[in-house]
Amino acid sequence: MSLFDSLTPKELTILVGLVSITVTEGKSAADNNVLGNFLTAVSANILNIAAQQENIESLEEKQKQIEDLQKQIKQLKNNS
């Protein structure tokens, strides 16, 4: 997401505000509520996916560390 990586927190906040105003302009409160709830559900799912991705990456890194330590132990035993 290189576009978002290049934005400052303030710029991102302004962008979110502009998108929100543009998307909701001219729509009824009921339509905006439905849209807001839909986007909230989508956002929650994206956050769940990201959390699981981080969890898997962490587990993979821990497994790699364990394998590296096992190799080091084996080398130390062979050198003794």
Side-chain angles (χ1 to χ4, degrees), residues 48-62:
N48 282 330
I49 290 168
Q52 186 61 12
Q53 286 172 320
E54 288 179 349
N55 183 45
I56 290 169
E57 289 170 3
S58 175
L59 291 173
E60 289 172 347
E61 180 60 31
K62 286 177 185 174

Side-chain angles (χ1 to χ4, degrees), residues 1-53:
M1 302 200 110
S2 60
L3 168 66
F4 296 116
D5 292 342
S6 65
L7 295 175
T8 67
K10 289 180 182 180
E11 290 170 336
L12 185 59
T13 302
I14 292 169
L15 177 62
V16 169
L18 291 173
V19 170
S20 299
I21 291 168
T22 302
V23 169
T24 59
E25 195 170 330
K27 296 190 176 50
S28 69
D31 287 343
N32 286 333
N33 274 320
V34 170
L35 179 60
N37 286 324
F38 173 79
L39 293 174
T40 299
V42 169
S43 298
N45 284 333
I46 291 170
L47 291 171
N48 282 330
I49 290 168
Q52 186 61 12
Q53 286 172 320

